[in-house]
Amino acid sequence: MITSSSDILKWANSRNIAVGAFNVYNFEGVKAVVEGAEQEGVPVIIQLHPASLERGSKPLIAMALEAARLSTVSISVHLDHIDRIESISEGINAGITSFMPDGSGYDYKENVEFTRLCAEEIISIGGFVEGELGRLSGTEDSVTISDYKALLTDPVLVDDYVIKTKINALAICIGNVHGKYESEPKLDFPRLYKIRETTQLPLVMHGASGLSDEMILQCVLAGISKFNVNTELRQAYISGISEAVNRDITDLLSIMNLCVDKMREIVVVKIRQYSLRHNL
Ligand code: 13P
Protein backbone atom coordinates (compact mmCIF):
# COMPACT_ATOMS: atom_id res chain seq x y z
CA MET A 1 0.00 0.00 0.00
CA ILE A 2 1.13 3.49 -0.66
CA THR A 3 2.09 5.49 2.40
CA SER A 4 4.05 8.59 3.39
CA SER A 5 7.78 8.69 4.02
CA SER A 6 6.97 10.20 7.45
CA ASP A 7 4.97 7.12 8.43
CA ILE A 8 7.69 4.80 7.20
CA LEU A 9 10.35 6.63 9.20
CA LYS A 10 8.10 6.70 12.29
CA TRP A 11 7.70 2.94 11.89
CA ALA A 12 11.49 2.52 11.76
CA ASN A 13 12.06 4.92 14.64
CA SER A 14 9.64 3.13 16.93
CA ARG A 15 11.67 -0.07 16.40
CA ASN A 16 15.12 1.56 16.57
CA ILE A 17 15.92 0.31 13.08
CA ALA A 18 16.32 1.91 9.65
CA VAL A 19 14.71 1.53 6.24
CA GLY A 20 16.15 1.29 2.75
CA ALA A 21 15.51 3.93 0.11
CA PHE A 22 16.41 2.43 -3.24
CA ASN A 23 17.00 4.41 -6.45
CA VAL A 24 15.39 2.90 -9.52
CA TYR A 25 15.30 3.80 -13.20
CA ASN A 26 12.78 1.47 -14.78
CA PHE A 27 10.24 -1.32 -14.34
CA GLU A 28 12.81 -3.95 -13.32
CA GLY A 29 14.12 -1.64 -10.60
CA VAL A 30 10.64 -0.98 -9.22
CA LYS A 31 9.79 -4.70 -9.33
CA ALA A 32 13.01 -5.70 -7.53
CA VAL A 33 12.46 -3.21 -4.70
CA VAL A 34 8.79 -4.11 -4.21
CA GLU A 35 9.47 -7.87 -4.29
CA GLY A 36 12.40 -7.55 -1.88
CA ALA A 37 10.31 -5.54 0.58
CA GLU A 38 7.38 -7.95 0.29
CA GLN A 39 9.65 -10.93 0.83
CA GLU A 40 10.94 -9.36 4.05
CA GLY A 41 7.58 -7.90 5.06
CA VAL A 42 8.92 -4.40 5.76
CA PRO A 43 8.23 -0.88 4.46
CA VAL A 44 10.54 0.57 1.87
CA ILE A 45 11.08 3.80 -0.05
CA ILE A 46 11.31 3.83 -3.85
CA GLN A 47 13.51 6.72 -4.95
CA LEU A 48 13.65 8.44 -8.31
CA HIS A 49 16.66 10.56 -9.16
CA PRO A 50 16.27 13.56 -11.51
CA ALA A 51 18.43 11.72 -14.07
CA SER A 52 15.93 8.85 -14.12
CA LEU A 53 13.10 11.33 -14.57
CA GLU A 54 14.75 12.89 -17.59
CA ARG A 55 14.45 9.46 -19.18
CA GLY A 56 11.20 8.15 -17.76
CA SER A 57 9.46 11.32 -16.64
CA LYS A 58 5.80 11.01 -15.65
CA PRO A 59 5.26 7.38 -16.76
CA LEU A 60 8.10 6.28 -14.46
CA ILE A 61 6.55 8.14 -11.51
CA ALA A 62 3.11 6.70 -12.35
CA MET A 63 4.54 3.17 -12.47
CA ALA A 64 6.34 3.58 -9.13
CA LEU A 65 3.20 5.00 -7.47
CA GLU A 66 0.99 2.22 -8.84
CA ALA A 67 3.46 -0.47 -7.75
CA ALA A 68 3.42 1.08 -4.26
CA ARG A 69 -0.40 1.09 -4.22
CA LEU A 70 -0.60 -2.56 -5.26
CA SER A 71 2.04 -3.77 -2.81
CA THR A 72 1.26 -5.78 0.32
CA VAL A 73 3.78 -3.69 2.32
CA SER A 74 3.93 0.07 2.98
CA ILE A 75 5.85 1.91 0.29
CA SER A 76 6.46 5.60 -0.38
CA VAL A 77 7.82 7.15 -3.56
CA HIS A 78 10.42 9.87 -3.06
CA LEU A 79 12.03 12.36 -5.46
CA ASP A 80 15.75 12.46 -4.66
CA HIS A 81 18.23 15.34 -5.19
CA ILE A 82 15.90 18.02 -6.51
CA ASP A 83 17.98 20.99 -7.66
CA ARG A 84 15.27 23.06 -9.38
CA ILE A 85 12.37 24.48 -7.44
CA GLU A 86 10.08 23.79 -10.45
CA SER A 87 10.61 20.05 -9.92
CA ILE A 88 8.57 20.29 -6.72
CA SER A 89 5.36 21.35 -8.45
CA GLU A 90 6.06 18.94 -11.32
CA GLY A 91 6.43 16.14 -8.79
CA ILE A 92 3.32 17.18 -6.86
CA ASN A 93 1.29 17.25 -10.08
CA ALA A 94 2.50 13.74 -10.86
CA GLY A 95 1.36 12.49 -7.42
CA ILE A 96 4.58 12.66 -5.39
CA THR A 97 4.49 13.88 -1.78
CA SER A 98 8.06 13.09 -0.65
CA PHE A 99 11.05 15.17 -1.79
CA MET A 100 14.68 15.91 -1.15
CA PRO A 101 15.40 19.48 -2.21
CA ASP A 102 19.19 19.37 -2.52
CA GLY A 103 20.72 22.72 -1.62
CA SER A 104 24.03 21.16 -0.66
CA GLY A 105 25.82 22.63 -3.67
CA TYR A 106 25.15 26.14 -2.32
CA ASP A 107 26.77 27.96 0.56
CA TYR A 108 24.96 27.71 3.90
CA LYS A 109 22.66 30.73 3.51
CA GLU A 110 21.62 29.79 -0.02
CA ASN A 111 21.09 26.18 1.00
CA VAL A 112 18.75 27.36 3.78
CA GLU A 113 16.85 29.61 1.36
CA PHE A 114 16.50 27.01 -1.42
CA THR A 115 15.44 24.27 0.99
CA ARG A 116 13.05 26.60 2.86
CA LEU A 117 11.31 27.67 -0.36
CA CYS A 118 10.92 24.09 -1.58
CA ALA A 119 9.78 22.96 1.88
CA GLU A 120 7.09 25.64 2.00
CA GLU A 121 5.51 24.22 -1.16
CA ILE A 122 5.88 20.60 -0.04
CA ILE A 123 4.50 21.27 3.43
CA SER A 124 1.50 23.10 1.90
CA ILE A 125 0.34 19.73 0.49
CA GLY A 126 1.19 17.86 3.70
CA GLY A 127 4.29 16.32 2.12
CA PHE A 128 7.64 15.15 3.46
CA VAL A 129 10.90 17.11 3.12
CA GLU A 130 14.47 15.84 3.43
CA GLY A 131 17.22 18.47 3.47
CA GLU A 132 20.98 18.05 3.28
CA LEU A 133 23.46 19.95 5.38
CA GLY A 134 27.07 19.64 4.24
CA ARG A 135 28.07 18.30 0.85
CA LEU A 136 28.77 14.75 -0.24
CA SER A 137 31.74 14.10 -2.45
CA GLY A 138 31.57 11.64 -5.31
CA THR A 139 29.59 11.30 -8.47
CA GLU A 140 25.98 10.32 -8.85
CA ASP A 141 24.33 10.21 -12.24
CA SER A 142 24.97 13.59 -13.85
CA VAL A 143 25.51 15.30 -10.49
CA THR A 144 29.26 15.67 -10.20
CA ILE A 145 30.80 17.57 -7.36
CA SER A 146 34.22 18.70 -8.39
CA ASP A 147 35.29 19.50 -4.88
CA TYR A 148 36.12 15.93 -4.04
CA LYS A 149 36.76 16.73 -0.42
CA ALA A 150 33.58 16.22 1.54
CA LEU A 151 32.16 19.22 3.28
CA LEU A 152 31.00 17.54 6.43
CA THR A 153 27.82 18.41 8.33
CA ASP A 154 28.57 20.94 11.05
CA PRO A 155 26.64 19.91 14.18
CA VAL A 156 26.66 23.54 15.33
CA LEU A 157 24.51 24.54 12.33
CA VAL A 158 22.00 21.70 12.58
CA ASP A 159 19.53 23.37 14.92
CA ASP A 160 19.47 26.61 12.92
CA TYR A 161 19.10 24.71 9.62
CA VAL A 162 16.23 22.58 10.88
CA ILE A 163 14.34 25.52 12.38
CA LYS A 164 14.74 27.76 9.32
CA THR A 165 13.98 25.16 6.65
CA LYS A 166 11.26 23.16 8.50
CA ILE A 167 12.55 19.89 7.07
CA ASN A 168 11.27 16.51 8.32
CA ALA A 169 14.53 14.58 7.91
CA LEU A 170 18.20 15.52 7.68
CA ALA A 171 20.72 14.03 5.26
CA ILE A 172 24.13 14.16 6.87
CA CYS A 173 27.67 14.13 5.52
CA ILE A 174 30.14 12.34 7.78
CA GLY A 175 32.53 10.99 5.13
CA ASN A 176 29.90 9.08 3.15
CA VAL A 177 30.23 9.48 -0.62
CA HIS A 178 28.01 8.85 -3.61
CA GLY A 179 29.13 6.14 -5.96
CA LYS A 180 32.07 3.85 -5.44
CA TYR A 181 34.31 4.33 -2.38
CA GLU A 182 37.85 4.67 -3.72
CA SER A 183 39.24 3.32 -0.45
CA GLU A 184 37.83 1.89 2.77
CA PRO A 185 34.96 4.22 3.85
CA LYS A 186 35.87 6.31 6.88
CA LEU A 187 32.81 7.64 8.67
CA ASP A 188 33.13 10.30 11.35
CA PHE A 189 31.04 8.69 14.10
CA PRO A 190 31.81 11.29 16.82
CA ARG A 191 30.30 13.87 14.43
CA LEU A 192 27.23 11.66 13.92
CA TYR A 193 26.74 11.37 17.70
CA LYS A 194 26.96 15.17 18.03
CA ILE A 195 24.37 15.63 15.27
CA ARG A 196 22.11 13.07 16.96
CA GLU A 197 22.37 14.99 20.25
CA THR A 198 21.33 18.17 18.46
CA THR A 199 18.19 16.97 16.66
CA GLN A 200 15.51 14.34 17.03
CA LEU A 201 14.72 14.41 13.29
CA PRO A 202 15.25 11.19 11.31
CA LEU A 203 18.80 11.15 9.92
CA VAL A 204 19.55 10.01 6.39
CA MET A 205 22.72 8.39 5.07
CA HIS A 206 23.28 9.00 1.37
CA GLY A 207 25.98 7.00 -0.39
CA ALA A 208 25.10 3.81 1.46
CA SER A 209 26.49 1.49 -1.24
CA GLY A 210 29.75 -0.13 -0.17
CA LEU A 211 29.34 0.27 3.60
CA SER A 212 30.29 -2.82 5.59
CA ASP A 213 27.85 -4.70 7.82
CA GLU A 214 29.69 -3.41 10.87
CA MET A 215 29.45 0.21 9.69
CA ILE A 216 25.77 -0.09 8.91
CA LEU A 217 25.15 -1.54 12.36
CA GLN A 218 27.08 1.35 13.97
CA CYS A 219 25.10 3.86 11.88
CA VAL A 220 21.74 2.35 12.88
CA LEU A 221 22.74 2.30 16.55
CA ALA A 222 23.84 5.93 16.24
CA GLY A 223 20.44 6.93 14.89
CA ILE A 224 20.45 6.69 11.07
CA SER A 225 16.86 5.94 9.98
CA LYS A 226 17.12 5.94 6.19
CA PHE A 227 19.88 4.57 3.95
CA ASN A 228 19.99 5.62 0.27
CA VAL A 229 21.22 2.94 -2.12
CA ASN A 230 21.83 3.44 -5.81
CA THR A 231 25.26 2.23 -6.97
CA GLU A 232 24.95 -1.34 -5.69
CA LEU A 233 21.58 -1.75 -7.43
CA ARG A 234 22.98 -0.43 -10.67
CA GLN A 235 25.93 -2.82 -10.40
CA ALA A 236 23.51 -5.69 -9.76
CA TYR A 237 21.49 -4.78 -12.85
CA ILE A 238 24.62 -4.66 -15.00
CA SER A 239 25.87 -7.95 -13.57
CA GLY A 240 22.53 -9.48 -14.62
CA ILE A 241 23.11 -8.33 -18.18
CA SER A 242 26.73 -9.58 -18.18
CA GLU A 243 25.65 -12.95 -16.86
CA ALA A 244 22.99 -13.19 -19.56
CA VAL A 245 25.60 -12.46 -22.23
CA ASN A 246 28.07 -14.97 -20.76
CA ARG A 247 25.38 -17.65 -20.58
CA ASP A 248 24.16 -16.89 -24.11
CA ILE A 249 20.70 -16.02 -22.83
CA THR A 250 18.98 -14.14 -25.63
CA ASP A 251 15.34 -14.17 -24.51
CA LEU A 252 14.48 -10.64 -23.38
CA LEU A 253 12.14 -11.68 -20.56
CA SER A 254 14.75 -14.07 -19.17
CA ILE A 255 17.33 -11.27 -19.19
CA MET A 256 14.91 -8.90 -17.45
CA ASN A 257 14.12 -11.54 -14.83
CA LEU A 258 17.80 -12.16 -14.21
CA CYS A 259 18.35 -8.43 -13.63
CA VAL A 260 15.37 -8.28 -11.25
CA ASP A 261 16.71 -11.31 -9.34
CA LYS A 262 20.15 -9.71 -8.96
CA MET A 263 18.71 -6.40 -7.74
CA ARG A 264 16.21 -8.08 -5.40
CA GLU A 265 19.07 -10.02 -3.76
CA ILE A 266 20.76 -6.70 -2.92
CA VAL A 267 17.50 -5.17 -1.67
CA VAL A 268 16.95 -8.14 0.67
CA VAL A 269 20.50 -8.05 2.05
CA LYS A 270 20.21 -4.31 2.72
CA ILE A 271 16.77 -4.57 4.32
CA ARG A 272 18.11 -7.22 6.71
CA GLN A 273 21.12 -5.09 7.58
CA TYR A 274 19.01 -1.96 8.17
CA SER A 275 16.47 -3.81 10.27
CA LEU A 276 19.27 -5.49 12.28
CA ARG A 277 18.26 -8.95 11.12
CA HIS A 278 21.58 -10.01 9.59
CA ASN A 279 21.44 -13.51 10.98
CA LEU A 280 17.86 -14.39 10.17
P1 13P B 1 25.07 5.32 -3.69
O1 13P B 1 25.03 5.48 -5.16
O2 13P B 1 26.43 5.48 -3.16
O3 13P B 1 24.40 4.07 -3.25
O4 13P B 1 24.23 6.54 -3.07
C1 13P B 1 22.87 6.61 -3.32
C2 13P B 1 22.28 7.87 -2.81
O5 13P B 1 22.79 8.50 -1.91
C3 13P B 1 21.03 8.32 -3.44
O6 13P B 1 20.60 9.54 -2.93
Side-chain angles (χ1 to χ4, degrees):
M1 67 222 76
I2 194 153
T3 188
S4 66
S5 293
S6 302
D7 282 350
I8 290 182
L9 292 178
K10 269 186 214 145
W11 177 91
N13 194 38
S14 67
R15 287 163 177 77
N16 294 320
I17 57 172
V19 291
F22 298 98
N23 287 70
V24 299
Y25 294 81
N26 57 14
F27 172 72
E28 291 96 297
V30 170
K31 189 165 154 58
V33 174
V34 173
E35 287 182 359
E38 288 181 343
Q39 181 183 318
E40 295 303 302
V42 297
V44 77
I45 299 173
I46 294 177
Q47 282 191 162
L48 303 172
H49 188 275
S52 70
L53 293 181
E54 278 161 28
R55 287 173 186 84
S57 193
K58 283 190 180 171
L60 179 59
I61 296 180
M63 178 175 61
L65 289 170
E66 189 58 14
R69 273 186 207 106
L70 294 172
S71 174
T72 55
V73 294
S74 298
I75 298 184
S76 71
V77 180
H78 176 84
L79 280 198
D80 199 22
H81 291 291
I82 298 286
D83 58 1
R84 296 163 52 242
I85 192 155
E86 299 76 21
S87 302
I88 305 292
S89 50
E90 288 164 16
I92 290 172
N93 289 336
I96 299 278
T97 60
S98 181
F99 297 86
M100 183 225 180
D102 183 357
S104 66
Y106 297 125
D107 67 22
Y108 179 69
K109 268 178 102 173
E110 290 167 335
N111 181 352
V112 167
E113 191 52 14
F114 175 74
T115 309
R116 187 189 68 75
L117 280 173
C118 293
E120 220 169 66
E121 197 173 341
I122 299 161
I123 291 165
S124 74
I125 55 121
F128 170 89
V129 191
E130 175 186 323
E132 180 170 317
L133 182 56
R135 188 182 307 163
L136 248 66
S137 64
T139 301
E140 182 169 88
D141 300 318
S142 54
V143 183
T144 304
I145 296 157
S146 54
D147 180 6
Y148 207 73
K149 259 187 159 185
L151 186 63
L152 303 181
T153 304
D154 183 350
V156 172
L157 294 174
V158 167
D159 204 30
D160 185 66
Y161 185 73
V162 168
I163 290 170
K164 286 184 175 149
T165 57
K166 300 197 168 50
I167 55 172
N168 308 112
L170 178 70
I172 52 142
C173 306
I174 57 164
N176 40 320
V177 304
H178 283 136
K180 205 165 168 287
Y181 285 85
E182 296 301 334
S183 53
E184 192 66 21
K186 287 192 186 62
L187 300 183
D188 185 344
F189 283 102
R191 186 179 294 267
L192 175 54
Y193 302 137
K194 277 195 199 132
I195 297 167
R196 184 70 293 174
E197 280 166 19
T198 314
T199 179
Q200 290 307 306
L201 283 188
L203 300 179
V204 181
M205 168 76 60
H206 282 242
S209 291
L211 299 181
S212 66
D213 249 32
E214 177 55 33
M215 258 183 193
I216 291 169
L217 173 64
Q218 252 187 293
C219 287
V220 177
L221 296 179
I224 295 291
S225 305
K226 172 176 179 269
F227 287 88
N228 285 12
V229 183
N230 184 0
T231 300
E232 281 190 61
L233 280 191
R234 294 165 67 129
Q235 287 169 342
Y237 193 126
I238 292 166
S239 82
I241 295 172
S242 305
E243 190 176 319
V245 171
N246 290 337
R247 287 169 51 198
D248 279 333
I249 299 174
T250 51
D251 173 61
L252 180 60
L253 287 181
S254 305
I255 297 171
M256 286 166 68
N257 287 338
L258 193 54
C259 293
V260 171
D261 291 347
K262 297 272 180 199
M263 286 190 283
R264 190 181 53 243
E265 277 168 27
I266 298 289
V267 170
V268 167
V269 167
K270 299 293 169 193
I271 284 176
R272 291 185 183 177
Q273 289 173 330
Y274 304 155
S275 44
L276 308 184
R277 292 189 290 151
H278 307 59
N279 300 320
L280 291 186

